[in-house]
């Protein structure tokens, strides 16, 4: 299985369009220590010919341009896409807005929880994905499902969604619904992804904490891609670019007593990769002390077009 990072940054990307934080500024200047990154998405394939996209970022069009294997090749029919399906882990703007790029009557399968499919159904703009061509397939928590190519053939890629600590998408938050803002289990999922029961990959781009059960579940896997949104929980407040903590946004911080670095330090995993990284996170900078610390603890920092093979 090939895992290609299409976009390694969190919502807004790196640099974020309206952000003049020193990190964003360095990326905008194209500093060699601040490699720009597009918004959160990966693609998975067994043959580098047919692909499933996991989360559809607003930058999808640019990401296809950066990954020609995901566009029609010279030998393909007049209308064709190697994108066989899209799997969503939540309804965040950075994970669904890219669906709009996939209009034009192209058949593919769209997988998400019933809850996220409902959100998409309730928003008429997604009618551009003509139901005649795009199958919306609900995935159930804790149940394995084999992804299908757009001709109905089995792909051998099997996914199992499970709920992780998190919250409803920012644009769906409801203050009247109490401290969890109306979040339900199916709002934020993680995915276990495997082929022929051989190797296991966990994709968890959004997660608010690492309870023991999650740690045990991930343990023994081959690749973990995990929420690397913020280094410090209050980094956006400290840096004067926002008013929210990571906790409020449904994202664990890397640093801290309950942070991912500590919680996942002793875990037995082949490769640990931070993904969905916010423009304020110092780990984005190649020469930062935070990058060094993350690397020393065995973490790699995802970048656009990074490819892993399982
Ligand atoms: C998040 O990951 O918290 C969201 O992408 C935030 C947003 O929608 O801007
Ligand atoms: Mn996000």
């Amino acid at each position: 299985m090939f895992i290609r990072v299409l976009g390694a940054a969190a919502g807004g990307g790196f640099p974020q369009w309206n952000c003049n934080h020193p990190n964003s500024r360095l990326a905008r200047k194209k500093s060699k220590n601040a490699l720009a990154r597009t918004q959160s998405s990966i693609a998975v394939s067994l043959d580098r010919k047919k692909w499933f996209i996991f989360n559809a970022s607003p930058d999808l069009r640019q990401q296809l341009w950066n990954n020609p294997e995901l566009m029609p090749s010279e030998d393909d029919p007049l209308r064709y896409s190697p994108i066989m399906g899209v799997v969503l882990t939540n309804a965040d703007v950075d994970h669904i807005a890219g669906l709009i790029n996939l209009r034009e009557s192209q058949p593919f399968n769209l997988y998400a929880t019933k809850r996220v499919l409902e959100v998409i159904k309730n928003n008429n703009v997604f009618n551009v994905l003509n139901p005649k061509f795009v199958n919306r397939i609900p995935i159930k928590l804790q149940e394995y499902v084999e992804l299908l190519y757009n001709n109905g053939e089995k792909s051998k890629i099997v996914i199992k969604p499970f709920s992780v600590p998190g919250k409803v998408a920012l644009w769906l938050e409801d203050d009247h619904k109490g401290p969890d803002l109306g979040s339900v289990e199916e709002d934020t999922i993680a995915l276990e992804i495997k082929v022929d029961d051989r190797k296991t990959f966990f994709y968890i781009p959004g997660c608010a904490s690492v309870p023991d059960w999650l740690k045990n579940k991930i343990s023994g896997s081959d690749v973990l891609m995990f929420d690397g949104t913020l280094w410090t929980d209050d980094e956006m407040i400290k840096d004067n670019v926002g008013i929210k903590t990571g906790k409020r946004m449904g994202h664990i911080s890397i640093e801290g007593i309950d942070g991912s670095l500590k919680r996942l330090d002793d875990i037995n995993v082949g490769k640990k990769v931070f993904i969905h990284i916010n423009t304020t996170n110092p780990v984005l900078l190649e020469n930062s002390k935070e990058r060094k610390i993350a690397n020393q603890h065995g973490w790699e920092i995802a970048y656009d077009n990074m490819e892993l093979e399982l």
Side-chain angles (χ1 to χ4, degrees):
M1 177 162 58
F2 299 98
I3 306 163
R4 179 86 55 90
V5 174
L6 299 184
F14 178 51
Q16 182 174 306
W17 72 282
N18 64 341
C19 182
N20 217 6
H21 181 279
N23 285 8
S24 287
R25 247 183 279 153
L26 278 174
R28 204 166 279 125
K29 274 201 290 205
K30 299 192 164 61
S31 157
K32 68 174 184 1
N33 291 320
L35 190 63
R37 288 163 168 85
T38 61
Q39 295 170 78
S40 181
S41 176
I42 63 167
V44 169
S45 173
L46 295 187
D47 57 5
R48 287 212 189 93
K49 291 196 173 90
K50 298 194 283 293
W51 294 86
F52 289 94
I53 289 183
F54 288 71
N55 291 320
S57 138
D59 299 323
L60 181 57
R61 191 173 179 280
Q62 180 186 343
Q63 292 167 345
L64 299 187
W65 188 248
N66 294 342
N67 292 274
E69 298 94 326
L70 274 80
M71 296 192 287
S73 70
E74 294 220 341
D75 303 331
D76 287 326
L78 270 175
R79 282 293 172 107
Y80 179 78
S81 168
I83 299 171
M84 299 285 128
V86 179
V87 186
L88 304 174
T89 61
N90 59 23
D92 282 0
V93 169
D94 53 341
H95 287 164
I96 64 169
L99 289 173
I100 312 244
N101 287 297
L102 301 176
R103 63 194 192 277
E104 322 293 5
S105 304
Q106 182 63 37
F108 67 91
N109 295 318
L110 177 60
Y111 297 90
T113 59
K114 218 166 139 227
R115 157 78 164 173
V116 168
L117 286 181
E118 200 66 25
V119 167
I120 284 168
K121 188 171 152 205
N122 290 338
N123 193 322
N124 290 347
V125 74
F126 293 105
N127 290 344
V128 296
L129 305 179
N130 185 340
K132 262 209 254 165
F133 299 93
V134 179
N135 292 319
R136 299 177 184 200
I137 304 175
I139 50 177
K140 294 203 185 109
L141 298 181
Q142 305 296 351
E143 281 188 20
Y144 285 105
V145 58
E146 183 168 352
L147 300 180
L148 301 177
Y149 291 133
N150 63 2
N151 63 1
E153 238 173 71
K154 291 179 173 180
S155 71
K156 294 206 168 112
I157 301 170
V158 174
I159 62 169
K160 180 161 95 168
F162 56 97
S163 181
V164 285
K167 68 157 187 68
V168 65
L170 174 62
W171 61 284
L172 294 167
E173 287 180 3
D174 186 345
D175 289 335
H176 303 292
K177 291 198 172 155
D180 64 3
L181 309 161
S183 307
V184 298
E185 255 202 325
E186 289 196 347
D187 274 319
T188 313
I189 59 164
L191 293 168
E192 178 186 338
I193 303 165
K194 55 185 180 184
V195 180
D196 295 338
D197 274 331
R198 273 182 298 129
K199 305 233 168 154
T200 304
F201 160 44
F202 282 93
Y203 175 54
I204 314 180
C207 188
S209 62
V210 180
D212 288 342
W213 67 262
L214 179 56
K215 204 168 148 176
N216 294 337
K217 200 173 176 96
I218 299 167
S219 182
S221 63
D222 298 282
V223 174
L224 167 66
M225 285 194 175
F226 193 78
D227 185 339
T229 308
L230 300 175
W231 183 264
T232 319
D233 188 51
D234 61 354
E235 144 189 323
M236 289 172 54
I237 301 170
K238 270 199 328 226
D239 291 355
N240 288 316
V241 292
I243 55 165
K244 285 186 189 165
T245 59
K247 284 194 184 80
R248 171 63 186 78
M249 294 190 296
H251 293 292
I252 190 173
S253 58
I254 297 179
E255 176 254 29
I257 186 83
D258 294 322
S260 50
L261 207 65
K262 259 215 166 72
R263 292 292 295 147
L264 297 171
D265 211 20
D266 52 355
I267 198 173
N268 169 28
V269 168
K271 219 179 234 306
K272 298 189 287 190
V273 182
F274 281 124
I275 195 160
H276 189 282
I277 309 161
N278 195 55
T279 190
T280 50
N281 191 334
V283 87
L284 285 167
L285 306 180
E286 311 283 327
N287 58 351
S288 66
K289 74 170 191 310
E290 290 82 359
R291 168 68 68 94
K292 202 163 163 196
I293 293 169
N295 290 158
Q296 279 166 348
H297 287 259
W299 287 88
E300 292 182 39
I301 309 305
Y303 51 89
D304 290 14
N305 287 39
M306 176 187 206
E307 188 175 273
L308 305 176
E309 188 178 350
L310 264 200

